[in-house]
Amino acid sequence: MELFLFYLSAGICAVSTAMVITGVNALHSLLYLIVSLLAAAFIFYLLGAYFAALLEVIIYAGAIMVLFVFVVMMLNLGRQTIEQEKSWLNAKMWIGPSLLAALLLLELGYLFAQGQGTAIGQQVSAKQVGIALFGPYLLAVELASMLLLAGLVGAYHLGRPLERP
Amino acid sequence: MTADALIALLPIMVVAGAAIVVMLAIAVRRNYRLTVILTLLGLVTALATLPLAAERAPLAATELMRIDRYALFFIGLVLATGVAVTLLCYDYFAKREEQKEEIYILLLTTLLGGAVLAASSHFASFFLGLETLSVSLFAMIAYPIKERLPLEAGIKYMTLSGAASAFLLFGMALIYAEVGVLSFAELGRLSATADFQPSVLIGIVMIIVGLGFKLSLVPFHLWTPDVYQGAPAPVTALLSTVSKSAIFALLLRYFVVSGSYSYESLSAVLTFIAVASILVGNLLALLQDNVKRILAYSSIAHLGYVVVALITGRVLGSAFAVEAVAFYLVAYVVSTLGAFGVVAVLSVGGDEAETLAAYQGLFWRNPGLASIFTASLLSLAGIPLTVGFVGKFYVFSSGVNADLWLLVWTVVIGSGVGLYYYLRIVLAMMKSADGVATAAVPAAPAPLVGCLTLTVLVALLLWLGVYPGAFMEMLQSLSKTLS
């Protein structure tokens, strides 16, 4: 049964990612991307990596993607965009991502109904993740911070508004 | 982590610290000259800590990095290249952007990524180093944001680099799924005892695909000419030297340490890549009229030569491969820096000096720069008395010793074709200076810092070409430390 759950969520992940890259509308793509990240989080959960699943939902699906959606919506201020936003709210727009997300919810509900929080792999707790990160992988954490610094400086430079001549 | 490990990591930590110091200095007060001086100071300090680290080597600083003399040699190469690129950037960016200080932060993080790659012995540090290198390079390529070509080049590099990283990660995941370890040494130990053929082999091939993109080897080379042409000339110099040599150092370490030489089918893949890179790179360079594009195609061919040296390690043993690869990379870095350095110095005044027409009659207008350019081009072509000749000799003799005649003949044909387009640029420089030439390039006074840097590079190029003995001995002794 766990295998079936795995393949189902992997399928959801693949389908929604395909929808992300084929979508024409940025907002539509973002909705599918959130579903894709949720599906990945569910796979982590199935594998016993609860902490990774949690972070995937909170940080990627929660913080970053919702931020993207907000930014996309905020950029479209003004009267004529209200019409556009109304058109975003039609069923064609949200039914796909909602269905896929509902499937994921069903899977999660099934797992909870089983009562044991079954996992295919080995369970990894948050404490173990922390010990690994600040033990053998300490250098990786430091390097990741430098990688973020490089990305930040680059984004700051490239994204800065151009002065009008 | 022990104190010894911290001291061994000093060169890398100093570069990372320098990036932060430069960033804070910019945040307090924007001063172009101060930024450059701080950058140079950081790089020189990092170079000065290399002997300290060498006393502790070989040493594993956690599982992620292995500081041995091989790693320190390539860290030294990366940092020295960084010094040269900083000096070339100084004049180039001085009059261009109104916010030009940030490029030095990005330069330092690029070098940090390269240094990490040279020392990494684990998939995690491998990937993080590579991403640090690439992410910094995206921004550096697109740095002149008001212009069209750099932005286009940056976007191209970013998109394709992302795809390559996906391949790389997939390859790593396949290997991890099969073997269950991430460190190269563990991987080598386990695959010597058990047979993991299909998925590990597929994983390695995917890693080669990912790295082949970054090294611009042939089936994955399509981005190279556009990005080389679009990027500002000093950044092109950085892209074609630091990222290539650091990534190749990592590839070689991976091959030796993880025991990938034992897969016979892998040689066939690499042979195809080498032959295709040499032929395609050299033949397409013939069709170009843009100096930057010619040099881009020539760098594709040069990386093909290095792959030949990598393949022969299977027959001749890793020590000889390390020696040949290290020497060829040094030769390639010195010559390429010289060539792109001249382009950068000539582009100081205004537009990029990239068309062949811009070089017409350079010998009569600026004999010094023209001689430097000629020396670099001859070294890239592999003419005796330059370092390029010794490098090519290494590749050639390793091919002959390993009885890989297909590769030897490809190298010979490639070098022959290569001579033609290098000499084409030299010939253009010798033509008379009337008409087009003076109109194409405004007569700006040649900047002092850049010219001095280039002089040092050419001196190195000739010295290593005439008297390579001492350097070869050093490489021989360090080649035995990689295992």
Side-chain angles (χ1 to χ4, degrees):
Chain A
M1 191 60 203
E2 282 86 16
L3 265 183
F4 172 72
L5 289 181
F6 168 75
Y7 281 119
L8 186 59
S9 43
I12 293 174
C13 196
V15 167
S16 52
T17 311
M19 296 300 287
V20 174
I21 53 176
T22 52
V24 212
N25 189 323
L27 203 69
H28 207 181
S29 291
L30 281 172
L31 287 179
Y32 274 111
L33 190 53
I34 293 175
V35 176
S36 157
L37 290 167
L38 288 178
F42 186 76
I43 293 174
F44 276 128
Y45 184 78
L46 266 181
L47 289 172
Y50 299 104
F51 191 58
L54 202 73
L55 291 184
E56 187 92 13
V57 173
I58 295 177
I59 295 177
Y60 287 99
I64 300 179
M65 281 307 129
V66 171
L67 197 71
F68 275 7
V69 174
F70 277 169
V71 169
V72 170
M73 289 188 143
M74 299 284 252
L75 285 180
N76 293 307
L77 291 178
R79 191 154 293 186
Q80 78 274 25
T81 56
I82 293 177
E83 283 304 306
Q84 198 186 349
E85 276 181 29
K86 266 188 190 147
S87 77
W88 283 345
L89 273 178
N90 66 20
K92 209 176 119 222
M93 225 40 192
W94 53 260
I95 201 108
S98 310
L99 269 179
L100 292 178
L103 265 179
L104 281 177
L105 185 67
L106 275 180
E107 286 190 56
L108 196 65
Y110 173 80
L111 262 194
F112 280 144
Q114 293 282 307
Q116 54 206 10
T118 42
I120 300 173
Q122 190 187 351
Q123 291 200 13
V124 182
S125 68
K127 190 176 169 190
Q128 281 167 296
V129 174
I131 290 172
L133 271 187
F134 290 94
Y137 287 95
L138 177 65
L139 283 177
V141 176
E142 301 295 332
L143 279 176
S145 71
M146 292 309 290
L147 169 59
L148 288 179
L149 174 71
L152 203 64
V153 172
Y156 161 72
H157 177 77
L158 298 181
R160 130 187 100 84
L162 288 174
E163 287 116 58
R164 301 271 170 265
Chain B
M1 209 183 306
T2 58
D4 271 349
L6 282 176
I7 293 175
L9 283 175
L10 260 184
I12 294 176
M13 294 196 310
V14 169
V15 177
I20 292 167
V21 168
V22 169
M23 182 186 69
L24 291 178
I26 294 173
V28 173
R29 186 159 171 273
R30 277 185 185 277
N31 182 333
Y32 186 62
R33 192 165 293 184
L34 179 73
T35 313
V36 177
I37 290 173
L38 280 177
T39 311
L40 284 177
L41 212 63
L43 289 176
V44 171
T45 319
L47 279 170
T49 55
L50 282 176
L52 277 179
E55 283 169 23
R56 267 79 180 173
L59 175 146
T62 73
E63 219 185 347
L64 296 182
M65 298 222 216
R66 187 172 165 78
I67 308 286
D68 45 20
R69 288 187 52 210
Y70 174 82
L72 290 173
F73 172 76
F74 277 102
I75 292 176
L77 180 65
V78 164
L79 295 180
T81 315
V83 172
V85 173
T86 313
L87 292 172
L88 290 174
C89 279
Y90 174 70
D91 292 316
Y92 185 92
F93 284 102
K95 296 193 187 76
R96 275 174 202 246
E97 295 278 305
E98 76 279 18
Q99 281 194 15
K100 58 213 168 213
E101 285 85 4
E102 284 91 342
I103 195 143
Y104 294 99
I105 310 176
L106 294 168
L107 177 69
L108 284 168
T109 48
T110 310
L111 298 176
L112 173 72
V116 168
L117 277 180
S120 70
S121 60
H122 191 278
F123 279 130
S125 50
F126 169 12
F127 188 70
L128 282 168
L130 194 64
E131 285 303 292
T132 313
L133 185 79
S134 312
V135 167
S136 318
L137 277 174
F138 305 153
M140 284 183 86
I141 290 170
Y143 201 81
I145 47 175
K146 287 177 188 164
E147 285 161 48
R148 201 177 54 84
L149 272 182
L151 215 52
E152 182 197 322
I155 290 173
K156 265 187 191 154
Y157 189 66
M158 185 177 79
T159 323
L160 291 174
S161 188
S165 296
F167 268 99
L168 207 66
L169 276 179
F170 202 171
M172 290 176 188
L174 280 176
I175 292 175
Y176 182 67
E178 184 70 28
V179 187
V181 290
L182 286 172
S183 113
F184 297 169
E186 283 284 291
L187 182 62
R189 203 174 51 76
L190 286 174
S191 42
T193 52
D195 187 27
F196 295 115
Q197 273 284 359
S199 23
V200 171
L201 197 60
I202 296 172
I204 296 173
V205 170
M206 290 187 106
I207 289 177
I208 291 178
V209 169
L211 291 184
F213 163 80
K214 311 261 178 182
L215 292 171
S216 64
L217 292 168
V218 153
F220 326 107
H221 67 290
L222 293 168
W223 58 278
T224 320
D226 290 347
V227 173
Y228 273 44
Q229 186 190 358
V235 177
T236 317
L238 186 76
L239 173 67
S240 59
T241 52
V242 164
S243 85
K244 303 276 165 80
S245 52
I247 292 171
F248 215 96
L250 176 106
L251 185 64
L252 182 59
R253 180 193 288 273
Y254 179 82
F255 257 76
V256 172
V257 175
S258 76
S260 301
Y261 273 128
S262 59
Y263 298 108
E264 201 157 337
S265 38
L266 219 52
S267 307
V269 173
L270 286 176
T271 305
F272 168 74
I273 289 178
V275 170
S277 302
I278 295 172
L279 292 182
V280 171
N282 278 318
L283 290 176
L284 289 183
L286 290 175
L287 306 173
Q288 304 300 323
D289 281 321
N290 183 313
V291 172
K292 274 172 147 182
R293 289 180 87 88
I294 292 179
L295 289 174
Y297 281 113
S298 108
S299 91
I300 295 175
H302 279 283
L303 265 296
Y305 300 142
V306 194
V307 174
V308 171
L310 174 74
I311 298 168
T312 57
R314 181 180 152 76
V315 185
L316 301 178
S318 61
F320 192 76
V322 171
E323 201 186 325
V325 166
F327 198 100
Y328 200 93
L329 283 176
V330 170
Y332 167 76
V333 165
V334 172
S335 321
T336 311
L337 270 182
F340 278 117
V342 171
V343 178
V345 164
L346 283 175
S347 313
V348 163
D351 293 336
E352 297 278 307
E354 50 184 19
T355 53
L356 265 183
Y359 290 84
Q360 202 161 336
L362 190 68
F363 258 112
W364 317 111
R365 277 181 289 136
N366 194 334
L369 274 182
S371 323
I372 290 172
F373 203 17
T374 309
S376 310
L377 290 174
L378 291 182
S379 172
L380 283 173
I383 302 291
L385 293 185
T386 59
V387 65
F389 171 72
V390 188
K392 209 155 260 170
F393 189 77
Y394 257 116
V395 170
F396 194 76
S397 69
S398 61
V400 172
N401 284 338
D403 276 336
L404 298 168
W405 292 102
L406 170 67
L407 291 173
V408 171
W409 280 113
T410 321
V411 172
V412 170
I413 293 170
S415 308
V417 177
L419 205 56
Y420 176 77
Y421 59 81
Y422 292 124
L423 288 182
R424 220 174 116 216
I425 306 179
V426 176
L427 212 65
M429 288 196 292
M430 293 218 181
K431 272 187 192 159
S432 71
D434 330 321
V436 235
T438 36
V441 174
L448 188 68
V449 181
C451 288
L452 280 178
T453 318
L454 288 175
T455 315
V456 172
L457 277 172
V458 164
L460 194 66
L461 185 151
L462 292 175
W463 181 60
L464 285 179
V466 177
Y467 184 67
F471 186 59
M472 280 153 91
E473 270 167 33
M474 187 193 123
L475 286 183
Q476 262 161 20
S477 72
L478 85 83
S479 66
K480 294 182 186 80
T481 61
L482 180 68
S483 58

